[in-house]
Amino acid sequence: MDRAVSMTDQATGLRRVMNRPPVRVIAVASGKGGVGKTSISVNLAFALANRRQKVLLLDADLGLANVDVMLGLQPKRTIAHVLEGSCSIKDVLIRLTDGLSVIPAASGIASLSELSDAESIGIVHAFSDLSSDLDTLIIDSAAGIARNVTNFARSANEIIVVLCDEPASLTDAYAFIKVMSREYDVRNFNILVNMVRGPQTGRILFSKLQKVSDRFLDVQLRYAGGVPYDDKLRSAVMNQEIAVRKFPSASASLAFKSIAKSITTWPRQLHSSGGIEFFVERLVNSKSD
């Protein structure tokens, strides 16, 4: 009888995993630094977790620990220890809240695309262990268009490009989109405007970027939303807090919640059926492209 019950439980668990939607992998990128990309990643991750999503935030700036610094974390283990075989991926996870965990950056690893074959296989298997307990993986990538950044971006299901109301930000965002489209055949981008000063600022900047992209590139841009300039957000960053948690009614926090709600309605890309394993395999295999 016990054995029959056990087999039934296993079958039920297997059906639950098979029927579970594939993990949505979102790379948060920007053409230039200083646009608040890490703050966007952290707060969107928290807002999604508040919507009962199981979210994992990967600090993919492998040379600098941006997420660690922003949240005041002092991790004892990083992704480097997983590659060394001294611990599992679950030993590295830092649980921030119910539903939200972080994988801290590993200083000294220039690019996951430079891993050896054995390390590549190991990292694929390591991330595969997380698939059944995860809805969304958010990747806080480094700024710019270095190969490490583009590898993360082209391996994801969705790309959010963050920009702000500065000429250099707009120019560099366009450069990032141009590289991704022409060199890696990525066609779809979500544009998020940070630190907007008025209700129409975000839309105006998006329209400028869309106009030049429509003229010179074969891409589709989608306006993901705007996050207003908010002293409460700046205060949260200075105090190593998550703004959506610390100041849930602040204008920036309300914007993050709205964008998170919208993200849950985005249609999943066709290649997302591979789940998180597909993302990691694309990432580590990109070195041969």
Side-chain angles (χ1 to χ4, degrees), residues 41-59:
S41 300
V42 169
N43 282 282
L44 279 183
F46 183 83
L48 284 167
N50 270 3
R51 298 189 64 81
R52 297 184 178 180
Q53 294 266 307
K54 296 294 184 181
V55 183
L56 177 61
L57 175 59
L58 170 63
D59 189 345

Side-chain angles (χ1 to χ4, degrees), residues 80-95:
H81 295 91
V82 179
L83 298 177
E84 294 170 357
S86 60
C87 67
S88 71
I89 194 75
K90 292 184 178 180
D91 295 326
V92 173
L93 295 183
I94 298 175
R95 183 178 177 181

Side-chain angles (χ1 to χ4, degrees), residues 1-18:
M1 182 67 177
D2 291 342
R3 181 181 180 186
V5 171
S6 177
M7 293 180 66
T8 300
D9 291 342
Q10 291 179 20
T12 301
L14 180 59
R15 283 194 297 270
R16 186 181 299 115
V17 171
M18 293 181 66

